[in-house]
């Protein structure tokens, strides 16, 4: 089993990308790519992609395709499903790239929902 986890800043110091990946024989068995926002010193989910076929609430990218869950007040409020077909082996990198390209509107909506202001 090969595991890899890291965080990268999207907008320092309040928004980051969290990446968790487990592989077996080179194939992802579980991953989470999550856009997070720091509110009162606590990291909260803005949106995430995941693949965890063995989990209680897990999803299987090979059967369901990619989807992104969007959060407000710590609760999932919607799911975006209209992503192109992506092979499981490329899905984690696709999700990272998606957030790097599309973080701004997701973060601005999160700020509006939670009445947050930042010095950009």
């Amino acid at each position: 089993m090969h595991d890899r986890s890291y965080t990268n800043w999207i907008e320092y110091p309040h928004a980051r990308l969290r990446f968790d990946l487990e592989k077996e024989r080179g194939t992802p068995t579980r991953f989470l790519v999550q856009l997070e926002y720091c509110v009162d010193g606590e990291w909260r989910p803005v949106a995430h992609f995941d693949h965890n076929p063995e989990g209680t609430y897990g999803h299987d990218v090979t059967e369901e395709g990619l989807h992104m869950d969007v959060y407000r007040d710590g609760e999932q409020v919607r799911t975006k499903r209209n992503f192109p077909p992506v092979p499981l082996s490329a899905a984690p990198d696709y999700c990272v790239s998606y957030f790097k390209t599309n973080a701004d509107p997701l973060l601005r909506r999160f700020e509006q929902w939670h009445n947050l202001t930042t010095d950009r």
Side-chain angles (χ1 to χ4, degrees):
M1 176 136 340
H2 173 73
D3 298 340
R4 188 170 65 148
S5 296
Y6 65 83
T7 59
N8 278 340
W9 292 112
I10 296 292
E11 289 180 0
Y12 181 82
H14 59 270
R16 71 180 185 185
L17 183 70
R18 183 162 60 102
F19 180 90
D20 292 308
L21 172 67
E22 293 178 10
K23 285 185 175 183
E24 194 167 304
R25 296 186 183 125
T27 301
T29 54
R30 187 191 73 76
F31 71 79
L32 173 73
V33 181
Q34 181 162 277
L35 183 61
E36 299 177 332
Y37 200 103
C38 190
V39 179
D40 298 327
E42 182 180 318
W43 290 102
R44 298 192 183 165
V46 173
H48 77 231
F49 293 92
D50 66 322
H51 169 74
N52 186 5
E54 303 301 319
T56 303
Y57 301 105
H59 301 280
D60 189 337
V61 168
T62 61
E63 292 181 10
E64 303 172 44
L66 282 175
H67 73 280
M68 179 180 68
D69 295 326
V70 178
Y71 289 82
R72 181 178 184 174
D73 297 319
E75 301 287 327
Q76 181 183 328
V77 292
R78 78 179 188 97
T79 300
K80 177 181 166 121
R81 297 188 183 277
N82 59 341
F83 292 96
V86 177
L88 178 58
S89 61
D93 290 336
Y94 175 92
C95 299
V96 169
S97 178
Y98 180 88
F99 279 140
K100 285 182 177 180
T101 303
N102 298 286
D104 191 63
L106 292 164
L107 293 171
R108 302 301 75 86
R109 181 175 49 204
F110 187 87
E111 288 169 344
Q112 288 176 339
W113 283 346
H114 298 90
N115 298 314
L116 301 169
T117 58
T118 61
D119 296 327
R120 280 191 285 284

